[in-house]
Amino acid sequence: MGVALLLAACGPASSSSSGAAPGASGGSNTVTYAMQPGNMAQYPFPFYGSNGLNYLTVANIDNFQYLLYRPLYWFGEGTKPYMNPQKSLAYPPVYHGNEVIIKLKTNYKWSNGEPVDAQDVVFWMNMMKAEAQNDGYFSSSG
């Protein structure tokens, strides 16, 4: 099950008037991020609408959305496709028949300081169900 709930990693950006070089430290809350020539991150929300395939790009998904929404379960340990428990927001799921118990770790917060909690996961699962046809990976077959 690919669940991708996640954590807003950055607060709101604002322009810096300090005169510091882009990416320089000095108390600014501005982030400068270089993209490959010709790439443009343009779609932060992970549901894509009727023209979703236009937004299923490395720039949008891997270089933009993963910085905004951390996956509930992060996959990949080096070259192995296993769940990475250190990067995941939750402990490994526990299965009881048709029920899956997900226990969240307590050290993750949204950009506004509020903790990520079970209601956030429920919201995300409901959104995935309600917006299934607006996901660029949706298939009506089988």
Side-chain angles (χ1 to χ4, degrees):
M1 172 187 305
V3 178
L5 165 77
L6 298 276
L7 182 61
C10 302
S14 68
S15 61
S16 173
S17 59
S18 68
S25 62
S28 173
N29 62 356
T30 300
V31 174
T32 301
Y33 180 78
M35 305 275 310
Q36 289 182 325
N39 279 338
M40 183 172 75
Q42 62 202 38
Y43 201 82
F45 199 60
F47 296 100
Y48 303 97
S50 60
N51 61 347
L53 294 178
N54 296 330
Y55 298 110
L56 291 175
T57 66
V58 170
N60 281 327
I61 297 168
D62 292 340
N63 295 338
F64 194 32
Q65 291 174 1
Y66 271 18
L67 297 175
L68 297 173
Y69 307 101
R70 188 162 180 168
L72 185 61
Y73 292 111
W74 193 285
F75 291 88
E77 290 186 58
T79 59
K80 299 175 185 169
Y82 304 124
M83 184 182 85
N84 187 326
Q86 286 76 33
K87 289 186 178 180
S88 296
L89 295 179
Y91 296 102
V94 177
Y95 299 92
H96 295 288
N98 292 336
E99 184 178 273
V100 178
I101 298 172
I102 298 171
K103 183 176 180 184
L104 295 172
K105 296 177 183 177
T106 59
N107 55 334
Y108 292 101
K109 297 181 190 266
W110 293 100
S111 59
N112 66 0
E114 294 290 322
V116 175
D117 62 20
Q119 286 305 111
D120 298 322
V121 176
V122 169
F123 170 80
W124 189 261
M125 297 301 287
N126 287 337
M127 187 70 136
M128 285 179 33
K129 183 177 178 182
E131 292 294 323
Q133 293 183 358
N134 287 323
D135 186 347
Y137 296 107
F138 176 78
S139 172
S140 60
S141 62

